[in-house]
Amino acid sequence: MNVLPASADATRKTTVRWVMAIAAAALLFDGYDLVVYGTVVSSLLRDPSQLGTLDAAEAGALGSYALMGVMVGAITAGAVGDALGRRKLMLINIVWFSVGMALTATATSVPVFGLLRFLTGIGVGALVATAGAVVAEFAPAGKRNFHNAIVYSGVPAGGLLASLLAIVLGGVTDWRGLFMIGALPLVVLFPLAYLKLPESPRWLLARGRTEDARLLSVKTGISLADGDAQAASASPDPRLSTQPPAAVRQDGRPLTGFAALASGNYRTPTILLGLMSFCGLLLTYGLNTWLPEIMGQHGYGKTYSLTFLLALNAGAVIGGLVASRSADRLGPRAIVATTFVIAAAALVLLTLEFPLPVLLIAVAFAGVGSLGTQVLVYGFVSNYYPTPARAAGVAWCAGFGRLGGIVGPLVGGFLISAHAPNNVAFIVFAAVALFGGLVTVFVRRHRAGVHAAAFPGNPAGFGESRETVQQGTGQWGS
């Protein structure tokens, strides 16, 4: 087993801390963007002087415009992220969504507001897709699900921030001030990321820039060899490999980006992982957009309604971190399936007449199984694919999943506009959670073959042999 010198190990730990902190801070504002609309939608519905007359269906559509942009941004990140690099994409999109939030705060009509929400979403989507690849390539082996949960818990933490600020600043500023707060990363986070966020050495190696990768590896302390592969090579059974096998062409060159996802080795799991993300994000955006309005129609005042939103996101933060520990020990598949079922049960409890404290606890568990589950899904996905296809894999799941994010607010808006009983929305969301759990069960596990010798696109001899991968028998998961 390779043991790093103390100085190199200290450098690696410092690098990892900075990278995780910057990625988590970026996603904090993604979560803020996600939830801030839910905190102001009731005000926009009741005050036509802000943007114009809105009904619930139109408000649901407005909530979906940002998600459409997120889907475009995530898919675009997958198309260019594995070519452009992790650092550049993070920096570009921190600026993009910050400017978008600032401009949205100035909107005076529904069409302009919707367009700016869409454009802002492009930057948010690219950040979400890139963060998973960053975690997978910087986090230490054996702790990737936990580090991923820390980073992606920035999303529900941002939701907590939006909910708290909406309550605290309710009499101080209007919705425009809340949106302007979302532009702070431009002056706070971007300079820090520019100075402290390195490129991924493993991405450089995958792009054939071997010398640049070696120099950056020395500078950052991040090994060029995948930590899981190192652990596998030290295993008593050399056939046990946890490194995802690379998809390669017949000439041995690696398939990259979406071409790798469509290869026989990954095609079916990619579809299933996309469906998991679809369900997780439908629950996340549906609940975050409409939970305050639904609970308001149950008779709870504005502060109480926002408290439900607070509980939802608090449950997601705490539950996501706790569940990620189990995912590192037991594998993410079983844990994700379990948290989906927890969401379904919690949503059913919300249809019953329980006292407020019990309802808040149920909402918190719904948060564990919605946005908390999505945190785990991103970790699952980012470790499912090899480096040349990792950004594309995360982008696919973030992008396709955002279709669920688009559908969630629309479903809630349709049900409210149709004057359906409030409990119907919770039953619909519970059914989606059960479907997500079922899909998760069918994602294939990795059956390790013999270790590969080094070949083009697999210089460290990771994963399975070239022949095994070309035959499409390698499977990755847990």
Side-chain angles (χ1 to χ4, degrees):
M1 178 182 293
N2 295 328
V3 178
L4 291 173
S7 59
D9 187 52
T11 300
R12 178 187 62 79
K13 289 180 179 178
T14 300
T15 299
V16 169
R17 289 191 189 108
W18 273 114
V19 169
M20 298 301 127
I22 290 168
L27 294 191
L28 176 82
F29 285 93
D30 171 29
Y32 185 88
D33 174 81
L34 156 67
V35 175
V36 72
Y37 179 70
T39 69
V40 305
V41 67
S42 294
S43 299
L44 296 178
L45 283 169
R46 290 163 177 75
D47 185 359
S49 68
Q50 298 299 317
L51 296 174
T53 303
L54 273 177
D55 61 27
E58 291 170 331
L62 276 183
S64 293
Y65 291 159
L67 279 302
M68 295 177 188
V70 170
M71 180 177 67
V72 172
I75 293 174
T76 301
V80 303
D82 286 314
L84 191 61
R86 317 310 189 208
R87 172 182 158 84
K88 287 181 181 177
L89 213 57
M90 289 284 286
L91 293 174
I92 289 169
N93 287 289
I94 288 171
V95 174
W96 185 297
F97 88 78
S98 298
V99 172
M101 288 290 284
L103 292 175
T104 303
T106 69
T108 57
S109 67
V110 170
V112 172
F113 182 86
L115 175 62
L116 290 172
R117 290 289 287 159
F118 171 81
L119 293 174
T120 303
I122 293 175
V124 171
L127 272 177
V128 171
T130 308
V134 167
V135 174
E137 290 166 18
F138 281 93
K143 296 182 179 179
R144 285 181 180 164
N145 283 292
F146 182 62
H147 279 74
N148 195 85
I150 291 175
V151 168
Y152 278 99
S153 287
V155 178
L160 277 173
L161 180 63
S163 303
L164 283 171
L165 290 178
I167 293 172
V168 173
L169 301 179
V172 178
T173 186
D174 60 4
W175 69 269
R176 298 183 190 278
L178 292 174
F179 270 78
M180 191 62 73
I181 289 171
L184 286 177
L186 182 62
V187 295
V188 176
L189 182 59
F190 177 78
L192 191 63
Y194 185 84
L195 294 173
K196 293 294 186 178
L197 182 66
E199 186 52 86
S200 163
R202 292 175 192 164
W203 175 81
L204 291 171
L205 184 65
R207 298 296 296 175
R209 296 167 57 182
T210 306
E211 184 61 19
D212 290 341
R214 186 189 66 79
L215 292 174
L216 188 58
S217 175
V218 172
K219 181 179 179 180
T220 61
I222 302 298
S223 173
L224 294 178
D226 188 282
D228 285 340
Q230 292 174 348
S233 65
S235 170
D237 183 352
R239 293 177 64 82
L240 294 177
S241 171
T242 56
Q243 167 68 14
V248 298
R249 301 177 177 89
Q250 290 297 324
D251 61 5
R253 291 183 296 125
L255 286 168
T256 62
F258 291 113
L261 307 190
S263 67
N265 200 36
Y266 291 109
R267 187 181 302 117
T268 300
T270 292
I271 294 171
L272 295 175
L273 290 167
L275 288 172
M276 287 165 56
S277 185
F278 178 94
C279 293
L281 286 171
L282 190 155
L283 294 171
T284 295
Y285 283 86
L287 290 171
N288 273 291
T289 300
W290 289 113
L291 185 61
E293 180 68 15
I294 292 172
M295 301 315 292
Q297 292 186 9
H298 270 291
Y300 294 97
K302 181 178 179 180
T303 299
Y304 280 114
S305 297
L306 291 173
T307 302
F308 281 105
L309 204 57
L310 200 67
L312 182 78
N313 286 282
V317 173
I318 297 170
L321 289 173
V322 172
S324 69
R325 287 289 196 182
S326 299
D328 276 324
R329 293 195 306 269
L330 305 174
R333 186 177 69 162
I335 304 304
V336 170
T338 300
T339 54
F340 267 129
V341 172
I342 288 173
L347 289 165
V348 170
L349 287 177
L350 290 176
T351 66
L352 306 176
E353 297 296 330
F354 284 113
L356 177 62
V358 177
L359 291 178
L360 287 172
I361 292 172
V363 167
F365 275 102
V368 175
S370 54
L371 187 48
T373 295
Q374 189 62 26
V375 167
L376 296 175
V377 169
Y378 284 134
F380 193 177
V381 171
S382 62
N383 291 305
Y384 199 93
Y385 298 101
T387 298
R390 183 168 287 128
V394 178
W396 155 254
C397 287
F400 183 79
R402 296 298 161 149
L403 288 174
I406 292 167
V407 170
L410 290 175
V411 167
F414 172 78
L415 292 174
I416 291 173
S417 294
H419 303 291
N422 295 328
N423 293 341
V424 171
F426 291 135
I427 295 298
V428 170
F429 289 140
V432 171
L434 283 177
F435 178 73
L438 182 64
V439 168
T440 304
V441 171
F442 287 98
V443 177
R444 295 180 301 187
R445 297 172 65 89
H446 174 53
R447 295 196 298 270
V450 294
H451 278 301
F455 61 86
N458 192 19
F462 293 161
E464 302 192 31
S465 68
R466 182 190 325 188
E467 291 77 11
T468 301
V469 175
Q470 286 175 336
Q471 291 165 7
T473 58
Q475 297 173 17
W476 167 249
S478 44

